[in-house]
Amino acid sequence: MIKIGVELGERSYEIVLGTGILHQIGEVMKSMEVSGKTAVVSNTTVFPLYGAPVVDSMKDAGFEAFPVILPDGEEYKNLDVLTRLYDELLGIGLDRKSAVIALGGGVVGDIAGFAAATYMRGIAYVQVPTTLLAQVDSSVGGKTGIDHAAGKNMIGAFWQPKLVWTDSETLRTLPERQLLAGMAEVIKYGIIRDKDLFGYLELNRERILSRDDETMLYLIRRSCGIKAEIVSKDERESGLRAVLNYGHTIGHAVETVTGYTRFLHGEAVAIGMLLEAELAARLGLLSSAEVEKIRGLIESFGLPSGIPDDIDSSALLSSMQLDKKALGGALRFVLPERIGKVRIQTVATKELMRLFRD
Amino acid sequence: MIKIGVELGERSYEIVLGTGILHQIGEVMKSMEVSGKTAVVSNTTVFPLYGAPVVDSMKDAGFEAFPVILPDGEEYKNLDVLTRLYDELLGIGLDRKSAVIALGGGVVGDIAGFAAATYMRGIAYVQVPTTLLAQVDSSVGGKTGIDHAAGKNMIGAFWQPKLVWTDSETLRTLPERQLLAGMAEVIKYGIIRDKDLFGYLELNRERILSRDDETMLYLIRRSCGIKAEIVSKDERESGLRAVLNYGHTIGHAVETVTGYTRFLHGEAVAIGMLLEAELAARLGLLSSAEVEKIRGLIESFGLPSGIPDDIDSSALLSSMQLDKKALGGALRFVLPERIGKVRIQTVATKELMRLFRD
């Protein structure tokens, strides 16, 4: 097993990576300040595949474990489903010593994490991410929340998990489209912080697509290492952490104006990364050769790299104005200076409009 | 003006007390890290009385101030109203630098505070409490949340305000029943921590009922001083802070089984305080002479002191089992040893059933 620490004082926790480790989670949770009833929150796709080893392991370790099954899809990361989740957790009778286990991808992790953050003013939760995107990104760092018609993750909380328990075996059943969407976030780490990782991805496409355990654990370890380091320095995104939003300002807007249904999160981020690289090039920050390297890697993983013609650019712009990253009307972007290094820069709306027009 | 500090490191803030100070709030908020749009969340009763000075003061200080008016009553502290509140805040377009001002009693403070805690993962909020209960208790300490059919405050967060701005003038229009309900929490501070305050209340009933500004500021200052000291030592109620729940274990159950409509919070706490004092006497912790002093003070302010016959004690018991203060099945109570001193003690369900039966 590989262990990566997220250092946050009394909120510190470990990310544990391995292959075939789901059935060991109960034993590990026995050593945590958790007791009695636990809820295993999952969805209709993941629970039939991986619910049994988690629930059995919890029971073997002396916990009561209650499955709570949500519908599968980003469109269910909303207040209605959250309301039903609260009803279920209260029906089970979780108390302040209880834990919520989030078994699934980013949607399950975000909504179950937010329910844990706000159940009786906050109880423990553990992330068991089963998609690549959740394993390299959303399970780490304590961002929880739900979407609103007005924008993604508009309602949420910072609430750190007590443990992230990642099993690469769960990737074997992941639909290819989801695997590729997860790769968008891995590519992001390469661009913002790790030129070597970017190079590794260029050279190891086949091994990644075949989901070789060792290769996947390497990607997850590099990605989580970067994220853990950044989150440890800036838990609540007052500065540095914003670099993780590379590709996300435009990406979120793309998701919002298409109602969260047309693109997976990672696909929207891929579009956002390339457009933000182009924006960086326009502003003279990034060479066009590097823009093309970014385009090449994104496209080699079958990810979308441009905004489809039928999407209205003025809707994208107004969606970005409401984005959490909009501050007093100005728009801040994370822009690459070269592969492996980014900076945060305020960009005039005029400049953005030109980007979308051309 | 009187200032009381709540010391919580980077989350520290001041409670400011005065008479006729509502119109100064904008000026004070200019010195805080807040800018642009603000929402003044209030209710249909309070806003017509005190909305104008607050909104005007914010505008004069250069903020945009948008009123958001909720229905008035504890029965509206729920997910439906919270959902509408989110819609309104998103419609206004609050961003991460925005603030929410909660102008009203405990319900407005709790729900607006929770909305602020979870809007874009947390923005600033300021409490402007206009009921005695909110001024002496709920506006201080960062407990925010909403009720659920399964229990009071079941969904919520710890989220500290940036400022508490209390104007004793707002008490002049407070309905007498609400004033008396607020007195229940003041009596609580006397019992848990301040024998002198208890004695002052016994001697100054008339001045309190006439809402003399100086007298009310004295009560608020003593109460907030105790609460600030306790919260500073134990923000998230891992130990000491639990003493503030004296009267609340039974009080919350009374509110829950009566659907939050029959008793005001303070009235239910009054019932709870006397029953928990009787429980303490049964367990040999408190003399019956002190139980009678507590009963006398509660009744002198026209507060209920017993559970009405038509309330089913088994429903109360099962409601308490789900209470946030129930831990792994056991029930913890805050019990007085004498006026001015309490202890936390686990009580067997058997003992409780006997209390309700007799």
Side-chain angles (χ1 to χ4, degrees):
Chain A
M1 285 191 219
I2 301 159
K3 294 183 180 181
I4 300 165
V6 183
E7 305 301 333
L8 290 166
E10 59 187 16
R11 292 184 302 288
S12 295
Y13 56 97
E14 277 187 342
I15 305 162
V16 180
L17 315 179
T19 303
I21 60 171
L22 283 188
H23 67 284
Q24 294 170 49
I25 191 169
E27 204 53 43
V28 174
M29 285 187 66
K30 265 166 73 173
S31 66
M32 295 164 55
E33 281 177 40
V34 166
S35 62
K37 294 176 176 178
T38 58
V40 179
V41 179
S42 189
N43 69 31
T44 49
T45 307
V46 173
F47 193 80
L49 292 167
Y50 304 110
V54 172
V55 170
D56 292 349
S57 161
M58 291 300 289
K59 286 183 177 167
D60 289 348
F63 294 96
E64 288 185 80
F66 299 86
V68 178
I69 317 294
L70 308 179
D72 183 15
E74 177 92 25
E75 67 270 34
Y76 297 107
K77 204 177 102 176
N78 61 32
L79 264 170
D80 283 343
V81 174
L82 177 69
T83 301
R84 281 156 47 198
L85 181 52
Y86 285 138
D87 291 345
E88 293 226 40
L89 300 182
L90 285 161
I92 290 165
L94 294 190
D95 66 29
R96 283 176 170 178
K97 285 282 179 196
S98 296
V100 170
I101 297 171
L103 172 69
V107 172
V108 165
D110 284 6
I111 195 168
F114 185 58
T118 54
Y119 187 87
M120 294 186 174
R121 298 199 193 92
I123 61 172
Y125 81 112
V126 169
Q127 293 274 19
V128 185
T130 61
T131 65
L132 182 59
L133 187 125
Q135 291 175 351
V136 299
D137 181 23
S138 61
S139 69
V140 175
K143 281 191 176 181
T144 71
I146 54 174
D147 299 332
H148 186 278
K152 233 177 111 68
N153 297 316
M154 281 291 165
I155 297 160
F158 285 97
W159 190 244
Q160 299 295 340
K162 294 289 181 203
L163 171 71
V164 180
W165 193 255
T166 295
D167 189 334
S168 68
E169 270 190 11
T170 60
L171 296 177
R172 296 187 192 160
T173 51
L174 190 67
E176 176 148 281
R177 187 177 168 198
Q178 298 241 15
L179 183 83
L180 300 176
M183 285 307 299
E185 296 283 357
V186 180
I187 293 169
K188 182 191 78 178
Y189 290 111
I191 298 171
I192 65 170
R193 205 91 166 174
D194 191 343
K195 190 163 59 79
D196 294 347
L197 175 61
F198 191 95
Y200 181 90
L201 300 178
E202 290 181 313
L203 294 173
N204 290 278
R205 186 175 163 277
E206 292 311 317
R207 270 196 231 180
I208 293 166
L209 295 181
S210 70
R211 304 163 197 213
D212 170 62
D213 280 312
E214 210 177 315
T215 305
M216 299 317 287
L217 285 176
Y218 176 78
L219 299 186
I220 299 165
R221 181 164 67 79
R222 290 294 277 242
S223 301
C224 286
I226 294 168
K227 181 142 187 189
E229 182 217 331
I230 291 172
V231 167
S232 295
K233 288 179 183 160
D234 178 22
E235 182 180 8
R236 297 188 70 92
E237 199 168 318
S238 42
L240 174 66
R241 183 165 178 168
V243 302
L244 295 171
N245 292 323
Y246 171 57
H248 284 62
T249 304
I250 292 178
H252 277 172
V254 168
E255 287 184 279
T256 302
V257 302
T258 54
Y260 307 119
T261 51
R262 179 161 165 189
F263 295 105
L264 295 175
H265 175 65
E267 292 169 345
V269 168
I271 294 171
M273 286 195 296
L274 189 63
L275 277 160
E276 293 175 16
E278 287 174 356
L279 183 60
R282 269 170 193 275
L283 297 171
L285 295 174
L286 184 70
S287 73
S288 29
E290 300 231 297
V291 174
E292 290 317 307
K293 284 189 74 170
I294 291 171
R295 184 195 310 279
L297 188 58
I298 287 172
E299 291 182 347
S300 80
F301 282 99
L303 289 162
S305 56
I307 295 179
D309 292 340
D310 60 326
I311 293 184
D312 179 24
S313 61
S314 65
L316 280 179
L317 270 173
S318 72
S319 169
M320 276 183 264
Q321 303 288 349
L322 188 63
D323 191 280
K324 290 188 296 304
K325 286 165 282 299
L327 279 177
L331 267 171
R332 283 191 325 176
F333 279 89
V334 181
L335 298 178
E337 297 180 305
R338 53 180 162 77
I339 288 164
K341 189 164 190 308
V342 287
R343 65 149 78 173
I344 292 170
Q345 181 146 333
T346 305
V347 176
T349 311
K350 244 187 323 192
E351 195 63 47
L352 265 181
M353 287 170 70
R354 229 174 281 145
L355 174 74
F356 288 128
R357 196 178 327 110
D358 299 349
Chain B
M1 284 191 221
I2 301 159
K3 294 184 182 182
I4 300 165
V6 184
E7 304 302 333
L8 290 166
E10 59 187 14
R11 294 185 300 287
S12 295
Y13 55 96
E14 278 188 341
I15 305 162
V16 179
L17 315 178
T19 303
I21 61 172
L22 283 187
H23 68 283
Q24 294 170 50
I25 189 167
E27 204 52 45
V28 174
M29 284 186 68
K30 264 167 74 173
S31 67
M32 294 164 55
E33 281 177 40
V34 166
S35 61
K37 295 176 175 177
T38 59
V40 178
V41 179
S42 190
N43 69 31
T44 49
T45 307
V46 173
F47 193 81
L49 293 166
Y50 304 110
V54 172
V55 169
D56 292 349
S57 162
M58 292 299 290
K59 288 182 177 167
D60 290 347
F63 295 95
E64 289 184 80
F66 299 86
V68 178
I69 317 293
L70 308 180
D72 182 14
E74 176 91 26
E75 66 271 33
Y76 298 107
K77 204 177 101 176
N78 61 33
L79 264 169
D80 283 344
V81 173
L82 178 69
T83 300
R84 281 156 50 198
L85 181 51
Y86 285 138
D87 291 345
E88 293 224 40
L89 299 182
L90 286 160
I92 291 165
L94 295 191
D95 66 27
R96 283 176 170 179
K97 285 282 180 198
S98 297
V100 170
I101 297 170
L103 172 68
V107 171
V108 165
D110 284 6
I111 196 168
F114 186 59
T118 54
Y119 187 87
M120 294 186 173
R121 299 199 192 92
I123 61 173
Y125 81 112
V126 169
Q127 293 273 17
V128 185
T130 61
T131 65
L132 181 59
L133 188 124
Q135 292 176 349
V136 299
D137 180 23
S138 60
S139 68
V140 176
K143 281 192 178 181
T144 71
I146 55 173
D147 299 331
H148 185 279
K152 232 178 113 68
N153 297 315
M154 281 291 165
I155 297 160
F158 285 95
W159 191 244
Q160 299 295 341
K162 295 288 182 204
L163 173 69
V164 181
W165 193 255
T166 295
D167 188 334
S168 67
E169 270 190 12
T170 60
L171 296 177
R172 295 185 193 161
T173 52
L174 190 66
E176 176 149 280
R177 188 178 166 196
Q178 298 240 15
L179 183 83
L180 299 177
M183 284 308 298
E185 296 283 357
V186 180
I187 293 170
K188 182 191 78 177
Y189 291 111
I191 297 171
I192 65 170
R193 206 89 168 176
D194 191 341
K195 190 163 59 81
D196 293 347
L197 175 60
F198 192 96
Y200 181 90
L201 300 178
E202 290 181 313
L203 294 173
N204 290 278
R205 188 176 162 275
E206 291 311 317
R207 270 196 231 177
I208 294 166
L209 293 182
S210 71
R211 303 162 198 216
D212 169 63
D213 280 312
E214 207 176 316
T215 303
M216 298 317 287
L217 285 176
Y218 176 78
L219 298 187
I220 299 165
R221 180 164 68 79
R222 290 293 277 243
S223 300
C224 287
I226 294 170
K227 182 144 187 188
E229 182 217 332
I230 291 173
V231 167
S232 295
K233 288 182 183 158
D234 177 23
E235 183 179 9
R236 297 189 69 90
E237 199 167 319
S238 42
L240 174 66
R241 184 165 176 168
V243 302
L244 295 171
N245 292 322
Y246 171 57
H248 284 62
T249 304
I250 292 177
H252 277 172
V254 168
E255 287 184 280
T256 302
V257 303
T258 54
Y260 306 118
T261 50
R262 179 159 164 190
F263 295 104
L264 296 175
H265 175 65
E267 293 169 344
V269 167
I271 293 171
M273 287 196 295
L274 188 62
L275 277 160
E276 292 176 14
E278 286 174 355
L279 183 60
R282 267 169 195 275
L283 296 170
L285 297 174
L286 184 70
S287 72
S288 30
E290 299 231 296
V291 174
E292 290 316 308
K293 284 188 75 169
I294 292 172
R295 184 195 312 277
L297 188 58
I298 287 173
E299 291 182 347
S300 80
F301 282 99
L303 289 162
S305 56
I307 296 178
D309 292 340
D310 60 325
I311 293 184
D312 180 24
S313 60
S314 65
L316 280 179
L317 270 173
S318 72
S319 169
M320 276 183 262
Q321 302 289 347
L322 187 64
D323 190 280
K324 292 191 295 303
K325 285 165 282 301
L327 279 175
L331 268 170
R332 283 193 324 178
F333 279 89
V334 179
L335 298 178
E337 299 180 303
R338 53 181 163 77
I339 288 164
K341 188 164 190 309
V342 288
R343 65 148 80 173
I344 292 170
Q345 181 147 333
T346 305
V347 176
T349 311
K350 240 185 327 188
E351 195 63 49
L352 265 181
M353 287 170 69
R354 227 173 282 146
L355 175 74
F356 287 128
R357 197 177 330 112
D358 300 349

